[in-house]
Amino acid sequence: MSATKTRKLGLTSKIIIGMLAGIILGLLLRNLFPESDFVKEYITEGVLNVIGTIFISSLKMLVVPLVFVSLVCGTCSLSEPSKVGRLGGKTIAFYLFTTAIALSMAILVAIAVHPGNASLVTEGMQFDVKQAPSLSDVLINLVPTNPLHAMSEGNMLQIIIFAVIFGFAISHIGERGTRVAALFNDLNEVIMRVVTLIMQLAPYGVFALMAKLALTLGMETFGSVVKYFFVVLGVLLIHAFVVYPTLLKLFSGLNPFTFIRKIRDVQLFAFSTASSNATLPVTIETAEHRMGVDNKIASFTLPLGATINMDGTAIMQGVATVFIAQVFGIELTITDYAMVVITATLASIGTAGVPGVGLIMLAMVLNQVGLPVEGIALIIGVDRLLDMVRTAVNVTGDTVATVVIAKSENEFDEALFNDTQVNDTQAGKVAPGFNAQVHAEESKLNR
């Protein structure tokens, strides 16, 4: 059969194949060679770790330049101060609103299902609590004393603040600002092309990440917390595929099924990396070239969302709080639950989009309502897998908010959003996205 008659796999299909193949390989090696030092040293911590780490590092490499450059481009195109303030207010309000919904739903479901069992052994449990930042520290640290240091440290809130100020200044210095803005627009195109190149490695990176996870995370880790695990998972799925689509339909009138279809790549990347920041290049690419969001909206709302929108983490915190209270036989009042919602919602502003940070914020929430922080040790075994799922939920919320806000600001191409032909094999017909580049390279090889 000729190459032209062979149906080419899209990026989504390749990622799914890589994910499933990695899980199968990991489980096979785990069961065939359970105590093999060779497998652990040369495969798990060797080949798979190297490939997976390189892939994650290549994505993280782009985060700071992408956020800074794209945010400067977006802000300098918003010349009216009122528009910048309005856009920021809408974005933060939407994110906090969905976080409050996520927390409330998580607490109600956990109370109804009652995953905690007071008979679980709680003696001797330990969890090393790292100090969570106070609200005053978060506010003080919003403004960087050294922007270059903030970039080297990956402090996203400080980078966002500096980029907004920098972009706003560019838009107000006349002709010289126009020249600088043109330079940043060119830099933005270069960075997006780098994203295109790195996406070609995605199926292999995902394969390595999932194979290593299957090798290191056995089913026995679920143990006595299996009910907690499925409660959190169920609420996460409801929030991603019921709450978000409902809000999208309510606030924008757009078709939720079209949105879900076009968000698949972003969700898969988020699940594989467990990092909103590492997924950010893919999220921006998808929002602009498949959803129809204008760059000046996407470049503002998505980096902000990767930093402050932590609905998935909030769901984990809500269920975990109820679970730990039930395990230790501690009754929480309505006031306590309200305090959990308020504390966790505000804490999401200071939560970085990196793996595992949700446990630190959970410690702060538990302290707020007088629950033993040692209870975190009960759920830490399954947190890595749940972290992957809740990151996918977070990026879905980022994109829903971006689409809703873009629609409200008349910065949205509804025809592109509704064009079902713009899928993972055809996105390049609208703009030179990463999928188009992948298939262009494949076409060259097939000639």
Side-chain angles (χ1 to χ4, degrees), residues 19-34 39 43-44 48 207-217:
M19 184 180 295
L20 294 176
I23 293 173
I24 292 171
L25 176 65
L27 292 176
L28 283 176
L29 291 175
R30 183 181 182 86
N31 288 289
L32 293 176
F33 310 100
V39 171
I43 297 181
T44 306
L48 296 177
F207 168 81
L209 289 169
M210 298 308 295
K212 182 182 177 183
L213 182 69
L215 273 164
T216 56
L217 184 66

Side-chain angles (χ1 to χ4, degrees), residues 252-255 291-292 407 412-419:
S252 70
L254 298 172
N255 189 332
M291 298 287 184
K407 187 79 160 42
F412 182 72
D413 186 349
E414 191 166 347
L416 175 57
F417 177 87
N418 290 323
D419 187 357

Side-chain angles (χ1 to χ4, degrees), residues 41-42 85 108 119 153 160 163 168 173 213 215 224 229 258 265 290 301 324 373 376 392 395 441:
E41 183 175 354
Y42 293 101
L108 290 173
S119 64
E153 293 292 320
I160 289 171
F168 187 74
I173 57 173
L213 182 69
L215 273 164
S224 60
F229 174 84
T258 302
D265 285 348
R290 296 180 66 185
T301 59
I324 291 171
V373 177
I376 295 177
V395 297
E441 296 296 328

Side-chain angles (χ1 to χ4, degrees), residues 162-184:
F162 178 68
V164 170
I165 295 172
F166 194 81
F168 187 74
I170 289 175
S171 66
H172 285 76
I173 57 173
E175 184 180 346
R176 287 171 294 182
T178 302
R179 293 197 299 268
V180 176
L183 172 63
F184 271 89

